[in-house]
Amino acid sequence: MPLCFNSTTKEPYLRLAAPHSHIIITPHRSDPIADGIPARIEILNHPAVYMCLEGPPYPHLQEHAESWCNGKRDEMQEVVESLVCEFQEPSRNGEKARIFDKCPFTCIREVTEESSDGDPLTDVFIGDIGLVRYSFYEFRSGSDERQAARDRNNAIPGGDENIVWQFGDYLAPSHHGRGIMTGVIRSVIHDWAVPRMNVRDIRASAFVGNQGSLKVFLKNNFEETCTLEDWAPVSESRGGGTRSIVVVKWRGMN
Ligand SMILES: CC(C)(COP(=O)(O)OP(=O)(O)OC[C@H]1O[C@@H](n2cnc3c(N)ncnc32)[C@H](O)[C@@H]1OP(=O)(O)O)[C@@H](O)C(=O)NCCC(=O)NCCS
């Protein structure tokens, strides 16, 4: 599905293709309830989710969720405003589409009610997808090499094909195993990252044994590049120690 615009709420969004067309991916919203902060906290405190993730703090508290959502909303504000103008100013039609340096479509939501025109009216937050500049997992966490590689990558101007990107994602356990994240990754790549960010190089990583996550990427034309044994430090609240990770790389449009 192409990029969509909700003419009722003035929100740009991505909609998954059938059979998942009730799933949309939106930017953050200013109202905490509409944004889905309570659902986000519940999901990130579920062991089927937090034990698979390196990043978000666990236990995940209200202040963590608010700070994350406010930060992302501010970071994406300019992109979202520009997209709203694109949809609202028909005179711009025919202009070459602007290339952006960010993906504002991060909140995965299940639509529960639609207008007669098909605009989503109510929905429930069910997960998160992030496409950000790569962390260079191949270098040890905290190492100078990792920082130098990140600095080089971060310094490349937006829209350049040489930027290396990475995905991070999670979904509510109530919705696992229905093909949703496979469709989400596909939509973000095809409907936004390639046409509107000029993305060509995407990586991701998963803890060894996270078959669901690996399969989602393999089904989207990623391939395994390496397994790094005892590599990722795990927070004490998640049991401590280190976990082995598998790194995958996108092979391009299929
Ligand atoms: C990983 C995750 C995002 C997958 O999302 P999902 O929507 O459930 O995945 P899909 O339904 O698109 O599944 C894709 C494939 O993986 C399989 N799969 C899903 N979960 C699986 C599991 N726990 N074990 C084995 N296979 C699994 C599906 O059966 C499907 O394969 P198929 O098409 O051959 O049937 C989700 O399970 C999740 O949020 N897990 C916790 C957080 C996490 O691991 N995030 C990724 C960190 S790297």
Side-chain angles (χ1 to χ4, degrees):
M1 293 279 288
L3 180 57
C4 304
F5 185 64
N6 187 327
S7 53
T8 310
T9 60
K10 312 294 178 216
E11 180 179 68
Y13 66 97
L14 303 177
R15 188 188 279 275
L16 268 55
H20 298 300
S21 49
H22 59 301
I23 305 294
I24 60 173
I25 318 168
T26 80
H28 282 278
R29 296 168 179 164
S30 45
D31 178 78
I33 302 296
D35 199 32
I37 286 194
R40 182 180 290 268
I41 294 169
E42 192 180 328
I43 295 168
L44 284 173
N45 284 317
H46 194 293
V49 174
Y50 73 74
M51 286 304 285
C52 299
L53 300 177
E54 208 182 323
Y58 171 76
H60 205 77
L61 309 176
Q62 180 86 16
E63 67 222 47
H64 298 132
E66 281 175 2
S67 148
W68 174 266
C69 295
N70 290 340
K72 285 289 169 190
R73 197 177 53 248
D74 290 351
E75 185 188 336
M76 304 299 175
Q77 187 179 355
E78 196 273 330
V79 178
V80 175
E81 285 174 358
S82 176
L83 287 175
V84 172
C85 287
E86 246 182 54
F87 278 101
Q88 291 190 314
E89 291 177 24
S91 60
R92 287 176 162 218
N93 287 346
E95 272 180 32
K96 199 161 179 273
R98 183 178 153 195
I99 296 291
F100 293 97
D101 188 30
K102 294 183 188 303
C103 178
F105 302 105
T106 56
C107 301
I108 308 168
R109 306 185 193 271
E110 182 171 37
V111 176
T112 46
E113 191 190 349
E114 285 186 344
S115 72
S116 52
D117 296 336
D119 280 343
L121 290 181
T122 56
D123 52 43
V124 182
F125 175 87
I126 57 165
D128 194 281
I129 174 78
L131 180 67
V132 297
R133 296 207 186 199
Y134 187 48
S135 291
F136 292 89
Y137 310 107
E138 300 85 338
F139 302 114
R140 281 272 177 203
S141 178
S143 67
D144 291 346
E145 290 92 335
R146 185 183 278 200
Q147 193 54 50
R150 291 184 71 163
D151 290 345
R152 276 194 302 278
N153 194 45
N154 290 341
I156 303 175
D160 192 311
E161 291 183 6
N162 294 304
I163 301 169
V164 188
W165 298 91
Q166 76 179 50
F167 271 125
D169 58 12
Y170 63 84
L171 195 66
S174 52
H175 289 67
H176 285 183
R178 301 187 198 171
I180 293 175
M181 196 57 85
T182 301
V184 165
I185 297 283
R186 182 172 176 79
S187 172
V188 170
I189 291 177
H190 288 251
D191 300 332
W192 181 257
V194 169
R196 300 307 302 265
M197 293 173 71
N198 211 18
V199 168
R200 296 290 179 276
D201 191 342
I202 318 175
R203 323 278 171 95
S205 81
F207 290 141
V208 166
N210 189 345
Q211 286 308 324
S213 183
L214 268 183
K215 238 175 157 182
V216 162
F217 289 112
L218 298 183
K219 291 183 78 168
N220 275 292
N221 207 28
F222 284 65
E223 62 186 349
E224 289 186 27
T225 58
C226 59
T227 297
L228 302 166
E229 303 288 346
D230 299 326
W231 200 255
V234 175
S235 64
E236 287 305 320
S237 64
R238 287 178 164 93
T242 51
R243 300 272 302 265
S244 302
I245 61 170
V246 183
V247 180
V248 294
K249 182 178 185 324
W250 187 49
R251 290 191 293 198
M253 293 286 229
N254 51 356

